[in-house]
Amino acid sequence: MKILIRNVEILADHDLKHHIKNGFIGINGNKIDFIGEDPAEAAKFNPDRVINGTGKIAMPGIVNAHTHAAMTLLRNFANDLSLQDWLFNNVFPVEAKLNDEYVYWGTMLALGELIRSGVTAIADMYLHMDAVANAILESGMRANVCRIAFHFNKLGDEPIDQRDQCRQYFNTWNNAGDGRIKVYVEVHSTYTLEKWQLIKSAELAGELGTGIQIHLHETAREVKESLEAYNATPIEISKETGIFEVPVLAAHCVHVSENDMDILKEYNVNVVYNPTSNMKLGSGVAPVSRMLEKGINVALGTDGAASNNNLNMFEEMHLASLLQKGVLMNPEVMNASTVFKMATQNGAKAIGFENAAGILEKGRLADIILIDKSGLHLTPLNDPLAAVVYSAQGSDVDTVIVDGRILMENKVLRTIDEELVKYKVNKIAGELIPGQAD
Ligand code: NI
């Protein structure tokens, strides 16, 4: 399938030097074949499909580098609580009732919401991960998914060794969907596993030649309890147990010392900033500007819809920038270009698609979104990077292409039946949380 997007404004990456006012993008199979301003080149392309890009901005698909997609099932449930109370007393008991079917539909709903707001790739960490992978495969989305190697002691359960199931999961799903799916090993956090389980999880990731998804330093309490128990921070424990020997996607890193950040840099740990979730749970503000100064790769994420309470990466871009400016009382930090890069290129790198996605250029994967710039709130457009980061809304996304396949066109989802998904999820929510949902 060859697709030509014509007469479109192009933000190829975060650098306005590569900005094209009126250009063409040719897609051949799952790759970008050409990109530029030359109508002659476009005329030679001979596409199967032409998309008229007039009035639209084409940009790299947005990467949501940390989420728990099926937590959409718990949207607007258990609000205004501390992380500890929210997670242990509210979320975990409901999650114990989940099954493959519930998680499949919850994930599908999330994927629909994500595609609608311009996300082309996610990193997902959750339960019933076969159901998650199936939903991702069907939706056409790109994803880094992970699975536990040890069932953790969250409710005082006996730890169960699931390394064989983890290997099997990796063998089944890694590179599925023509390489759209990558499988990492899940280490939920250093506080839900014993040290020996952290070591074995790291060894397993090494054995499989893959990486690890982990939550690190989300709250001050997590760091304090780690220091009390081990005289080491969760980042120091991760280093000690070999977790940082493989590629790592670390969510949060809110409460980190200079030493912690130096370790993150030394081991090329990818950090995911989740401003909304960190604010909603009162966890604090991650020193993202400082991490970027140190050369740490920082991406952006929504976390789960249960602590957000949506999956809108445009909100994350706004907040990511504004929070840093406000807290540091410095409007020059976290400019539009930096935030745009975090949401695209840094995200693609963080979830294991470095040099493959995240930028629009010849030879890269065709993960492209078109933003409708006709809204009053985008008029006049002026600086297009500022428009995307500060004034655009998720609902301005018009068309989404992943791996050369159109997943949404003219704001209509192509791979997900929205009405069916809403019906299923409302029904499931009624079973999970009686009395609260429809
Ligand atoms: Ni999380």
Side-chain angles (χ1 to χ4, degrees):
M1 177 86 165
K2 288 169 82 177
I3 301 171
L4 175 69
I5 307 172
R6 66 168 173 84
N7 301 106
V8 70
E9 179 167 359
I10 302 168
L11 282 172
D13 59 28
H14 67 286
D15 189 343
L16 280 180
K17 270 190 280 189
H18 306 136
H19 172 226
I20 296 172
K21 265 281 196 194
N22 183 18
F24 302 86
I25 303 172
I27 300 166
N28 193 350
N30 69 343
K31 297 266 173 63
I32 296 172
D33 196 70
F34 78 91
I35 182 164
E37 290 172 285
D38 184 5
E41 196 174 8
K44 285 187 302 194
F45 189 58
N46 198 20
D48 304 297
R49 271 291 320 272
V50 177
I51 294 173
N52 181 2
T54 306
K56 314 230 162 62
I57 295 174
M59 63 171 273
I62 295 170
V63 179
N64 184 350
H66 179 69
T67 191
H68 313 278
M71 285 187 97
T72 50
L73 298 170
L74 281 73
R75 195 196 306 270
N76 302 328
F77 162 72
N79 296 277
D80 312 316
L81 302 170
S82 74
L83 176 83
Q84 206 70 13
D85 192 9
W86 174 78
L87 190 62
F88 284 85
N89 302 329
N90 291 277
V91 172
F92 283 159
V94 174
E95 285 182 339
K97 294 194 255 177
L98 293 174
N99 58 36
D100 280 359
E101 192 201 344
Y102 290 2
V103 168
Y104 171 86
W105 289 109
T107 305
M108 267 304 190
L109 185 120
L111 296 172
E113 185 184 354
L114 288 160
I115 293 167
R116 279 207 160 284
S117 51
V119 170
T120 55
I122 64 170
D124 195 64
M125 176 199 279
Y126 210 49
L127 310 156
H128 303 276
M129 291 304 292
D130 283 300
V132 172
N134 269 316
I136 286 162
L137 203 62
E138 288 175 32
S139 70
M141 179 74 91
R142 189 179 304 288
N144 177 318
V145 293
C146 61
R147 193 204 186 281
I148 51 168
F150 294 92
H151 182 74
F152 56 86
N153 314 327
K154 59 185 183 186
L155 296 168
D157 306 341
E158 276 299 300
I160 304 167
D161 188 338
Q162 297 197 355
R163 276 175 288 177
D164 279 341
Q165 291 94 317
C166 192
R167 282 186 191 95
Q168 200 185 345
Y169 186 78
F170 180 86
N171 291 330
T172 305
W173 292 109
N174 192 48
N175 280 323
D178 299 321
R180 276 193 290 115
I181 297 181
K182 265 189 205 307
V183 177
Y184 275 19
V185 173
E186 172 186 335
V187 175
H188 176 273
S189 55
T190 58
Y191 61 88
T192 46
L193 292 178
E194 306 290 336
K195 249 190 199 180
W196 68 270
Q197 295 171 320
L198 298 173
I199 293 168
K200 294 294 178 192
S201 295
E203 284 174 3
L204 179 60
E207 172 199 315
L208 297 172
T210 193
I212 286 174
Q213 283 195 36
I214 189 170
H215 292 105
L216 279 177
H217 292 229
E218 183 170 2
T219 62
R221 176 174 174 169
E222 173 190 339
V223 178
K224 181 172 164 274
E225 289 182 349
S226 178
L227 284 166
E228 283 165 7
Y230 301 111
N231 198 28
T233 67
I235 284 173
E236 288 166 342
I237 291 167
S238 299
K239 176 183 166 180
E240 177 195 327
T241 53
I243 284 172
F244 288 167
E245 301 297 328
V246 299
V248 171
L249 185 60
H252 306 306
C253 301
V254 175
H255 299 275
V256 284
S257 66
E258 285 290 318
N259 182 54
D260 290 322
M261 287 187 271
D262 289 340
I263 295 171
L264 295 175
K265 174 59 189 159
E266 185 188 346
Y267 288 88
N268 293 314
V269 173
N270 299 285
V271 170
V272 190
Y273 180 30
N274 302 273
T276 303
S277 176
N278 294 156
M279 294 291 280
K280 181 143 192 295
L281 291 167
S283 301
V285 181
V288 172
S289 302
R290 185 74 184 128
M291 287 193 258
L292 290 171
E293 265 171 30
K294 284 179 176 281
I296 295 168
N297 186 52
V298 185
L300 268 183
T302 57
D303 212 348
S307 61
N308 187 303
N309 293 353
N310 60 44
L311 303 174
N312 182 351
M313 283 291 289
F314 282 84
E315 282 185 12
E316 298 306 321
M317 286 195 282
H318 301 170
L319 265 181
S321 176
L322 303 188
L323 261 176
Q324 297 290 318
K325 290 177 193 298
V327 167
L328 297 171
M329 294 191 287
N330 181 355
E332 292 173 3
V333 298
M334 292 283 281
N335 62 28
S337 173
T338 302
V339 176
F340 186 95
K341 182 166 179 273
M342 286 169 70
T344 54
Q345 197 179 337
N346 292 10
K349 179 180 179 184
I351 71 165
F353 290 92
E354 187 179 13
N355 302 324
I359 294 179
L360 302 186
E361 71 179 2
K362 184 180 166 70
R364 293 226 182 202
L365 291 165
D367 290 5
I368 304 168
I369 63 172
L370 300 184
I371 296 172
D372 175 2
K373 53 183 179 180
S374 68
L376 294 174
H377 60 285
L378 290 170
T379 307
L381 195 75
N382 286 324
D383 179 339
L385 281 176
V388 168
V389 172
Y390 300 129
S391 60
Q393 304 295 314
S395 52
D396 293 324
V397 177
D398 178 87
T399 295
V400 174
I401 298 171
V402 177
D403 219 36
R405 182 179 177 201
I406 301 170
L407 306 189
M408 181 169 82
E409 190 172 13
N410 300 325
K411 302 192 179 176
V412 177
L413 294 180
R414 291 279 196 82
T415 55
I416 297 175
D417 181 338
E418 274 182 82
E419 290 308 314
L420 177 65
V421 169
K422 281 196 281 188
Y423 168 76
K424 292 281 187 185
V425 167
N426 277 325
K427 196 159 168 282
I428 291 164
E431 287 157 24
L432 276 178
I433 311 162
Q436 286 223 2
D438 285 337

